[in-house]
Coordinates of all heavy atoms in Angstrom, one line a residue:
M1 N -95.5 22.9 -44.4 CA -95.8 23.5 -43.1 C -94.4 24.0 -42.5 O -94.4 25.0 -41.9 CB -96.4 22.5 -42.1 CG -96.7 22.9 -40.8 SD -98.0 24.2 -40.8 CE -98.8 23.9 -39.3
T2 N -93.3 23.1 -42.6 CA -92.1 23.5 -41.9 C -91.5 24.8 -42.5 O -90.9 25.6 -41.8 CB -91.0 22.4 -42.0 OG1 -90.8 22.1 -43.5 CG2 -91.4 21.2 -41.4
D3 N -91.7 25.1 -43.9 CA -91.3 26.2 -44.4 C -91.9 27.5 -43.9 O -91.3 28.5 -43.5 CB -91.3 26.3 -45.9 CG -90.2 25.3 -46.6 OD1 -89.2 25.1 -46.0 OD2 -90.5 24.9 -47.7
S4 N -93.2 27.4 -43.7 CA -93.9 28.6 -43.2 C -93.6 28.8 -41.7 O -93.5 29.9 -41.2 CB -95.5 28.4 -43.3 OG -96.0 27.3 -42.6
N5 N -93.4 27.6 -41.0 CA -93.0 27.8 -39.5 C -91.6 28.5 -39.5 O -91.4 29.4 -38.7 CB -92.9 26.5 -38.9 CG -94.3 25.9 -38.6 OD1 -95.2 26.6 -38.7 ND2 -94.3 24.5 -38.3
K6 N -90.7 28.1 -40.4 CA -89.4 28.8 -40.4 C -89.5 30.2 -40.7 O -88.8 31.1 -40.1 CB -88.4 28.1 -41.3 CG -88.0 26.6 -40.8 CD -86.9 26.0 -41.7 CE -87.3 25.7 -43.1 NZ -86.3 25.0 -43.8
Q7 N -90.2 30.6 -41.6 CA -90.4 32.0 -42.0 C -91.1 32.8 -40.9 O -90.6 34.0 -40.6 CB -91.3 32.0 -43.3 CG -90.7 31.6 -44.5 CD -91.7 31.5 -45.7 OE1 -92.9 31.7 -45.6 NE2 -91.2 31.1 -46.8
N8 N -92.0 32.2 -40.2 CA -92.6 32.8 -39.0 C -91.6 33.1 -37.9 O -91.6 34.2 -37.3 CB -93.8 32.1 -38.4 CG -95.0 32.2 -39.4 OD1 -95.2 33.1 -40.2 ND2 -95.9 31.2 -39.2
V9 N -90.7 32.1 -37.6 CA -89.8 32.3 -36.6 C -88.8 33.4 -36.9 O -88.4 34.3 -36.1 CB -89.0 31.0 -36.3 CG1 -87.8 31.2 -35.4 CG2 -90.0 30.0 -35.7
V10 N -88.3 33.4 -38.2 CA -87.3 34.5 -38.6 C -88.0 35.8 -38.5 O -87.4 36.8 -38.0 CB -86.9 34.1 -40.0 CG1 -86.1 35.3 -40.6 CG2 -86.0 32.9 -40.0
A11 N -89.3 35.9 -39.1 CA -90.0 37.1 -38.9 C -90.2 37.7 -37.5 O -90.0 38.9 -37.2 CB -91.4 37.1 -39.7
F12 N -90.6 36.8 -36.6 CA -90.7 37.1 -35.2 C -89.4 37.7 -34.7 O -89.4 38.8 -34.0 CB -91.2 35.9 -34.4 CG -91.3 36.0 -33.0 CD1 -92.3 36.8 -32.4 CD2 -90.3 35.5 -32.2 CE1 -92.4 36.9 -31.0 CE2 -90.3 35.7 -30.8 CZ -91.4 36.3 -30.2
Y13 N -88.3 36.9 -34.8 CA -87.0 37.3 -34.2 C -86.6 38.7 -34.8 O -86.0 39.5 -34.1 CB -86.0 36.3 -34.4 CG -85.9 35.4 -33.3 CD1 -86.7 34.3 -33.2 CD2 -85.0 35.5 -32.3 CE1 -86.7 33.4 -32.0 CE2 -84.9 34.7 -31.1 CZ -85.9 33.7 -31.0 OH -85.7 32.8 -30.0
D14 N -86.7 38.8 -36.1 CA -86.3 40.1 -36.8 C -87.2 41.2 -36.2 O -86.6 42.3 -35.9 CB -86.6 40.0 -38.3 CG -86.0 41.2 -39.0 OD1 -84.8 41.5 -39.0 OD2 -86.9 41.9 -39.5
L15 N -88.4 41.1 -36.1 CA -89.3 42.1 -35.5 C -89.0 42.5 -34.1 O -88.9 43.6 -33.8 CB -90.7 41.7 -35.8 CG -91.8 42.9 -35.5 CD1 -91.6 44.1 -36.4 CD2 -93.2 42.2 -35.7
M16 N -88.9 41.5 -33.3 CA -88.6 41.8 -31.8 C -87.3 42.2 -31.6 O -87.0 43.0 -30.7 CB -89.2 40.7 -31.0 CG -88.3 39.4 -31.0 SD -87.1 39.3 -29.7 CE -86.7 37.6 -29.8
F17 N -86.2 41.6 -32.2 CA -84.9 41.8 -31.9 C -84.2 42.8 -32.7 O -83.7 43.8 -32.2 CB -84.1 40.5 -31.9 CG -82.9 40.4 -31.0 CD1 -83.0 40.0 -29.7 CD2 -81.7 40.7 -31.6 CE1 -81.9 40.0 -29.0 CE2 -80.6 40.6 -30.8 CZ -80.7 40.2 -29.4
N18 N -84.2 42.6 -34.0 CA -83.5 43.6 -34.9 C -84.2 44.9 -35.1 O -83.6 45.9 -35.1 CB -83.3 42.9 -36.3 CG -82.3 41.8 -36.3 OD1 -81.6 41.7 -35.4 ND2 -82.4 40.9 -37.3
Q19 N -85.6 44.8 -35.2 CA -86.4 46.1 -35.3 C -86.8 46.7 -34.0 O -87.3 47.8 -34.0 CB -87.5 45.8 -36.2 CG -87.2 45.4 -37.6 CD -88.4 45.1 -38.4 OE1 -89.4 46.0 -38.5 NE2 -88.6 43.9 -39.1
C20 N -86.5 46.0 -32.9 CA -86.7 46.5 -31.5 C -88.3 46.8 -31.4 O -88.7 47.8 -30.8 CB -86.0 47.6 -31.2 SG -84.1 47.3 -31.3
K21 N -89.1 45.8 -31.9 CA -90.6 46.1 -31.8 C -91.2 44.7 -31.1 O -91.9 44.1 -31.7 CB -91.2 46.2 -33.2 CG -90.7 47.5 -33.8 CD -91.4 47.6 -35.2 CE -91.0 49.0 -35.8 NZ -91.6 49.1 -37.1
P22 N -90.8 44.5 -29.9 CA -91.3 43.3 -29.2 C -92.9 43.3 -29.0 O -93.4 42.1 -29.2 CB -90.7 43.3 -27.8 CG -90.3 44.7 -27.6 CD -90.1 45.3 -28.9
A23 N -93.5 44.4 -28.8 CA -95.0 44.3 -28.7 C -95.6 44.0 -30.0 O -96.6 43.1 -30.0 CB -95.5 45.7 -28.2
E24 N -95.1 44.4 -31.1 CA -95.7 44.1 -32.4 C -95.4 42.6 -32.7 O -96.3 42.0 -33.3 CB -95.1 45.0 -33.5 CG -95.6 46.5 -33.4 CD -94.7 47.3 -32.4 OE1 -93.9 46.8 -31.6 OE2 -94.7 48.6 -32.6
A25 N -94.3 42.1 -32.4 CA -93.9 40.7 -32.6 C -94.9 39.8 -31.8 O -95.3 38.8 -32.3 CB -92.4 40.5 -32.2
I26 N -95.1 40.2 -30.5 CA -95.9 39.4 -29.6 C -97.3 39.4 -30.3 O -98.1 38.3 -30.3 CB -95.9 39.8 -28.3 CG1 -94.6 39.3 -27.5 CG2 -97.1 39.4 -27.5 CD1 -94.6 37.9 -27.3
A27 N -97.8 40.5 -30.7 CA -99.2 40.7 -31.2 C -99.3 39.9 -32.5 O -100.4 39.2 -32.7 CB -99.5 42.2 -31.5
A28 N -98.4 39.8 -33.4 CA -98.4 39.2 -34.6 C -98.2 37.7 -34.5 O -98.8 37.0 -35.3 CB -97.4 39.8 -35.6
Y29 N -97.4 37.3 -33.6 CA -96.9 35.8 -33.6 C -97.1 35.0 -32.4 O -97.1 33.7 -32.5 CB -95.4 35.8 -34.0 CG -95.1 36.3 -35.4 CD1 -94.6 37.6 -35.5 CD2 -95.4 35.5 -36.5 CE1 -94.3 38.2 -36.8 CE2 -95.2 36.1 -37.8 CZ -94.6 37.4 -37.9 OH -94.4 37.8 -39.1
A30 N -97.5 35.6 -31.2 CA -97.7 34.7 -30.0 C -99.1 34.3 -30.0 O -100.0 35.0 -30.4 CB -97.2 35.6 -28.9
G31 N -99.3 33.2 -29.3 CA -100.7 32.7 -29.1 C -101.3 33.4 -27.8 O -100.8 34.5 -27.4
E32 N -102.3 32.8 -27.2 CA -103.0 33.5 -26.1 C -102.2 33.6 -24.9 O -102.2 34.6 -24.2 CB -104.3 32.6 -25.8 CG -105.1 33.1 -24.7 CD -105.8 34.4 -25.0 OE1 -106.1 34.6 -26.3 OE2 -106.2 35.2 -24.2
T33 N -101.2 32.6 -24.6 CA -100.4 32.7 -23.5 C -99.0 32.6 -24.0 O -98.7 32.1 -25.1 CB -100.6 31.6 -22.5 OG1 -100.4 30.4 -23.1 CG2 -102.0 31.7 -21.9
Y34 N -98.0 33.1 -23.3 CA -96.6 33.1 -23.7 C -95.8 32.5 -22.5 O -95.7 33.1 -21.5 CB -96.0 34.5 -24.1 CG -94.6 34.4 -24.5 CD1 -94.3 34.1 -25.8 CD2 -93.6 34.7 -23.7 CE1 -92.9 34.0 -26.2 CE2 -92.3 34.6 -24.1 CZ -92.0 34.3 -25.3 OH -90.6 34.2 -25.7
T35 N -95.1 31.4 -22.7 CA -94.2 30.8 -21.8 C -92.8 31.0 -22.2 O -92.5 30.6 -23.3 CB -94.5 29.3 -21.6 OG1 -96.0 29.2 -21.3 CG2 -93.7 28.7 -20.5
Q36 N -92.1 31.7 -21.3 CA -90.7 32.0 -21.6 C -89.7 30.8 -21.3 O -89.8 30.3 -20.2 CB -90.3 33.3 -20.9 CG -88.9 33.8 -21.0 CD -88.4 34.0 -22.5 OE1 -87.6 33.2 -23.0 NE2 -89.0 35.0 -23.1
H37 N -88.7 30.5 -22.1 CA -87.7 29.5 -21.9 C -86.4 30.0 -21.1 O -85.8 29.3 -20.5 CB -87.3 28.8 -23.1 CG -86.4 29.6 -24.0 ND1 -87.1 30.6 -24.9 CD2 -85.2 29.8 -24.2 CE1 -86.1 31.3 -25.6 NE2 -85.0 30.8 -25.1
N38 N -86.3 31.3 -21.2 CA -85.1 32.0 -20.5 C -85.5 32.2 -19.0 O -86.3 33.0 -18.8 CB -84.9 33.4 -21.3 CG -83.6 34.0 -20.8 OD1 -83.3 33.8 -19.6 ND2 -83.1 35.0 -21.6
P39 N -84.6 31.6 -18.2 CA -84.8 31.8 -16.8 C -84.7 33.2 -16.3 O -85.1 33.6 -15.1 CB -83.9 30.9 -16.1 CG -82.8 30.8 -17.1 CD -83.4 30.9 -18.4
H40 N -84.2 34.2 -17.0 CA -84.0 35.5 -16.7 C -85.1 36.4 -17.0 O -85.2 37.6 -16.8 CB -82.6 36.1 -17.2 CG -81.5 35.4 -16.8 ND1 -81.0 35.3 -15.5 CD2 -80.7 34.4 -17.5 CE1 -79.9 34.6 -15.5 NE2 -79.8 34.0 -16.6
V41 N -86.1 35.8 -17.7 CA -87.4 36.5 -18.2 C -88.5 35.9 -17.6 O -88.7 34.6 -17.7 CB -87.4 36.7 -19.8 CG1 -88.5 37.4 -20.2 CG2 -86.1 37.2 -20.4
A42 N -89.4 36.5 -17.0 CA -90.7 36.0 -16.5 C -91.6 35.6 -17.6 O -91.4 36.0 -18.8 CB -91.5 37.0 -15.7
D43 N -92.5 34.7 -17.4 CA -93.4 34.3 -18.4 C -94.5 35.4 -18.6 O -94.7 36.3 -17.8 CB -94.3 33.1 -17.7 CG -93.5 31.8 -17.8 OD1 -92.5 31.6 -18.6 OD2 -93.9 30.8 -17.1
G44 N -95.1 35.3 -19.8 CA -96.1 36.2 -20.0 C -95.7 37.3 -21.0 O -94.5 37.5 -21.2
K45 N -96.7 37.8 -21.9 CA -96.4 38.7 -22.9 C -95.8 40.1 -22.4 O -94.8 40.5 -23.0 CB -97.7 39.0 -23.7 CG -98.2 37.8 -24.4 CD -99.5 38.1 -25.0 CE -100.0 36.9 -25.8 NZ -101.3 37.2 -26.5
E46 N -96.3 40.5 -21.3 CA -95.8 41.8 -20.9 C -94.3 41.7 -20.4 O -93.5 42.6 -20.6 CB -96.7 42.4 -19.8 CG -98.0 43.0 -20.3 CD -97.8 44.1 -21.3 OE1 -97.0 45.0 -21.2 OE2 -98.5 44.1 -22.4
A47 N -94.0 40.7 -19.7 CA -92.7 40.5 -19.2 C -91.8 40.4 -20.5 O -90.6 41.0 -20.5 CB -92.6 39.2 -18.4
F48 N -92.1 39.6 -21.4 CA -91.2 39.6 -22.7 C -91.0 40.9 -23.3 O -90.0 41.3 -23.6 CB -92.0 38.6 -23.7 CG -91.4 38.6 -25.1 CD1 -90.4 37.6 -25.3 CD2 -91.7 39.5 -26.0 CE1 -90.0 37.5 -26.6 CE2 -91.2 39.4 -27.3 CZ -90.2 38.4 -27.5
I49 N -92.1 41.7 -23.4 CA -92.1 43.0 -24.0 C -91.2 43.9 -23.2 O -90.3 44.6 -23.8 CB -93.5 43.7 -24.2 CG1 -94.3 42.8 -25.2 CG2 -93.5 45.1 -24.6 CD1 -95.8 43.1 -25.2
E50 N -91.4 44.0 -21.9 CA -90.5 44.8 -21.0 C -89.1 44.4 -21.2 O -88.2 45.3 -21.2 CB -91.0 44.8 -19.7 CG -92.3 45.5 -19.5 CD -92.3 46.9 -20.1 OE1 -91.3 47.7 -19.8 OE2 -93.4 47.3 -20.8
Y51 N -88.8 43.1 -21.1 CA -87.3 42.7 -21.2 C -86.8 43.1 -22.5 O -85.6 43.6 -22.5 CB -87.3 41.1 -21.1 CG -86.0 40.6 -21.2 CD1 -85.1 40.5 -20.2 CD2 -85.5 40.0 -22.5 CE1 -83.8 40.1 -20.2 CE2 -84.2 39.5 -22.6 CZ -83.3 39.5 -21.5 OH -82.1 39.0 -21.6
F52 N -87.3 42.9 -23.7 CA -86.8 43.3 -24.9 C -86.7 44.8 -25.2 O -85.9 45.3 -25.9 CB -87.4 42.5 -26.1 CG -86.8 41.1 -26.1 CD1 -87.5 40.0 -25.6 CD2 -85.5 40.8 -26.6 CE1 -87.0 38.7 -25.6 CE2 -84.9 39.5 -26.5 CZ -85.7 38.5 -26.0
K53 N -87.6 45.6 -24.6 CA -87.5 47.0 -24.7 C -86.3 47.4 -23.9 O -85.5 48.3 -24.3 CB -88.8 47.7 -24.0 CG -90.0 47.7 -24.8 CD -91.1 48.5 -24.1 CE -92.3 48.6 -24.8 NZ -93.3 49.4 -24.1
R54 N -86.0 46.8 -22.7 CA -84.8 47.2 -22.0 C -83.6 46.7 -22.7 O -82.6 47.4 -22.6 CB -84.9 46.5 -20.5 CG -83.8 46.9 -19.6 CD -84.0 46.3 -18.2 NE -83.7 44.9 -18.2 CZ -84.6 43.9 -17.9 NH1 -85.8 44.2 -17.6 NH2 -84.2 42.6 -18.0
M55 N -83.6 45.6 -23.3 CA -82.4 45.2 -24.0 C -82.1 46.1 -25.2 O -80.9 46.4 -25.4 CB -82.6 43.7 -24.6 CG -82.6 42.7 -23.6 SD -81.5 41.2 -23.9 CE -80.7 41.5 -25.5
A56 N -83.1 46.7 -25.8 CA -82.9 47.7 -26.9 C -82.2 48.9 -26.3 O -81.4 49.5 -27.2 CB -84.2 48.0 -27.6
K57 N -82.5 49.3 -25.2 CA -81.9 50.5 -24.6 C -80.5 50.2 -24.2 O -79.7 51.0 -24.3 CB -82.7 51.1 -23.5 CG -84.0 51.6 -23.9 CD -84.8 52.1 -22.6 CE -86.2 52.7 -23.1 NZ -87.0 53.0 -21.9
E58 N -80.3 49.0 -23.6 CA -79.0 48.7 -23.0 C -78.0 48.2 -24.0 O -76.8 48.4 -23.9 CB -79.1 47.5 -22.0 CG -79.9 47.9 -20.8 CD -80.0 46.8 -19.8 OE1 -79.6 45.6 -20.0 OE2 -80.8 47.0 -18.8
Y59 N -78.5 47.8 -25.2 CA -77.6 47.3 -26.2 C -78.0 47.9 -27.6 O -78.5 47.1 -28.5 CB -77.6 45.7 -26.3 CG -77.2 45.1 -25.0 CD1 -78.1 44.7 -24.2 CD2 -75.9 45.1 -24.6 CE1 -77.7 44.1 -22.9 CE2 -75.5 44.5 -23.5 CZ -76.4 44.0 -22.6 OH -76.1 43.4 -21.4
P60 N -77.9 49.2 -27.8 CA -78.4 49.8 -29.1 C -77.6 49.2 -30.2 O -76.3 48.9 -30.1 CB -78.1 51.2 -28.9 CG -77.1 51.4 -27.8 CD -77.3 50.2 -26.9
G61 N -78.2 49.0 -31.3 CA -77.5 48.4 -32.5 C -77.3 46.9 -32.5 O -76.7 46.4 -33.5
K62 N -77.8 46.2 -31.5 CA -77.8 44.8 -31.5 C -78.4 44.2 -32.7 O -79.5 44.7 -33.2 CB -78.3 44.2 -30.2 CG -79.8 44.5 -30.1 CD -80.4 43.9 -28.8 CE -81.8 44.2 -28.7 NZ -82.7 44.3 -29.9
R63 N -77.9 43.1 -33.1 CA -78.6 42.5 -34.3 C -78.5 40.9 -34.1 O -77.5 40.4 -33.5 CB -77.8 42.8 -35.5 CG -77.8 44.2 -36.0 CD -79.0 44.7 -36.7 NE -79.3 44.0 -37.8 CZ -80.6 44.1 -38.4 NH1 -81.4 44.9 -37.9 NH2 -80.9 43.3 -39.4
V64 N -79.4 40.2 -34.7 CA -79.4 38.8 -34.9 C -79.2 38.5 -36.3 O -79.9 39.1 -37.2 CB -80.8 38.1 -34.4 CG1 -80.8 36.7 -34.8 CG2 -80.9 38.2 -32.9
H65 N -78.2 37.7 -36.7 CA -78.0 37.4 -38.1 C -78.3 35.9 -38.2 O -77.8 35.0 -37.5 CB -76.5 37.6 -38.5 CG -76.1 39.0 -38.3 ND1 -76.4 39.9 -39.3 CD2 -75.5 39.7 -37.4 CE1 -75.9 41.1 -38.9 NE2 -75.5 41.1 -37.7
F66 N -79.2 35.5 -39.1 CA -79.7 34.2 -39.2 C -78.7 33.5 -40.2 O -78.5 33.9 -41.3 CB -81.1 34.2 -39.9 CG -82.0 35.0 -38.9 CD1 -82.4 36.2 -39.3 CD2 -82.5 34.3 -37.8 CE1 -83.3 36.9 -38.4 CE2 -83.5 35.0 -37.0 CZ -83.8 36.2 -37.3
K67 N -78.0 32.4 -39.8 CA -77.2 31.6 -40.6 C -78.0 30.4 -41.1 O -77.8 30.0 -42.3 CB -76.0 31.2 -39.8 CG -75.1 32.2 -39.3 CD -74.4 33.0 -40.3 CE -73.5 34.0 -39.6 NZ -72.9 34.8 -40.6
R68 N -78.7 29.7 -40.2 CA -79.5 28.5 -40.6 C -80.8 28.5 -39.8 O -80.8 28.9 -38.7 CB -78.7 27.3 -40.4 CG -77.5 27.1 -41.3 CD -76.7 25.8 -40.8 NE -75.4 25.8 -41.4 CZ -74.3 26.3 -41.0 NH1 -74.3 27.1 -39.9 NH2 -73.2 26.3 -41.7
V69 N -81.8 28.0 -40.4 CA -83.0 27.8 -39.7 C -83.5 26.4 -40.0 O -83.6 26.0 -41.2 CB -84.1 28.8 -40.2 CG1 -85.4 28.6 -39.4 CG2 -83.6 30.2 -40.0
F70 N -83.7 25.7 -38.9 CA -84.1 24.3 -39.1 C -85.5 24.0 -38.5 O -85.9 24.7 -37.5 CB -83.2 23.3 -38.2 CG -81.8 23.4 -38.6 CD1 -80.9 24.3 -38.1 CD2 -81.4 22.4 -39.6 CE1 -79.6 24.2 -38.5 CE2 -80.0 22.4 -40.0 CZ -79.1 23.4 -39.5
A71 N -86.3 23.1 -39.2 CA -87.5 22.7 -38.7 C -87.8 21.3 -38.9 O -87.2 20.7 -40.0 CB -88.6 23.6 -39.3
R72 N -88.5 20.6 -38.1 CA -88.7 19.3 -38.2 C -90.2 19.0 -38.2 O -90.9 19.5 -37.3 CB -88.1 18.5 -37.1 CG -88.3 17.0 -37.2 CD -87.6 16.2 -36.2 NE -88.2 16.5 -34.9 CZ -88.3 15.7 -34.0 NH1 -87.8 14.4 -34.1 NH2 -88.9 16.0 -32.8
A73 N -90.7 18.3 -39.3 CA -92.2 18.0 -39.3 C -92.4 16.9 -38.2 O -91.7 15.9 -38.2 CB -92.5 17.5 -40.7
I74 N -93.5 17.1 -37.4 CA -93.8 16.1 -36.5 C -95.1 15.5 -36.9 O -96.1 16.2 -37.1 CB -94.0 16.7 -35.0 CG1 -92.7 17.4 -34.6 CG2 -94.5 15.7 -34.0 CD1 -92.8 18.2 -33.4
T75 N -95.1 14.2 -37.0 CA -96.2 13.5 -37.5 C -96.8 12.5 -36.4 O -96.2 12.2 -35.5 CB -96.0 12.7 -38.8 OG1 -94.9 11.8 -38.5 CG2 -95.6 13.6 -39.9

């Protein structure tokens, strides 16, 4: 389970951040509701999408490079 969770997280970040497709990332990987941890972004899917669309315009060429991905199994 942890390996598939790590793969999903990397795919989500790559799609929304590197490929600048936040709506597609939310559609593919978010559940019914989305709660944001960043205090500068409102909760909800639409707020997330709008924020990352704006980031793509303000910071063209931005990239996330994955060095390590950690997951812990919770039992």
Side-chain angles (χ1 to χ4, degrees):
M1 181 72 144
T2 57
D3 286 337
S4 64
N5 289 345
K6 290 190 292 187
Q7 291 171 358
N8 285 340
V9 168
V10 170
F12 173 76
Y13 269 84
D14 182 63
L15 189 57
M16 70 94 165
F17 205 85
N18 293 341
Q19 297 180 50
C20 301
K21 297 180 178 180
E24 291 87 340
I26 284 290
Y29 297 101
E32 186 66 29
T33 60
Y34 181 82
T35 303
Q36 178 55 250
H37 69 278
N38 182 337
H40 301 289
V41 183
D43 284 341
K45 295 177 183 180
E46 285 304 315
F48 174 92
I49 293 166
E50 290 307 314
Y51 177 80
F52 282 100
K53 281 183 177 179
R54 188 173 71 244
M55 286 231 1
K57 289 179 185 174
E58 292 176 7
Y59 303 98
K62 67 182 176 29
R63 298 280 307 165
V64 170
H65 300 278
F66 303 97
K67 301 291 183 182
R68 292 176 193 84
V69 180
F70 296 92
R72 180 176 71 145
I74 299 174
T75 56

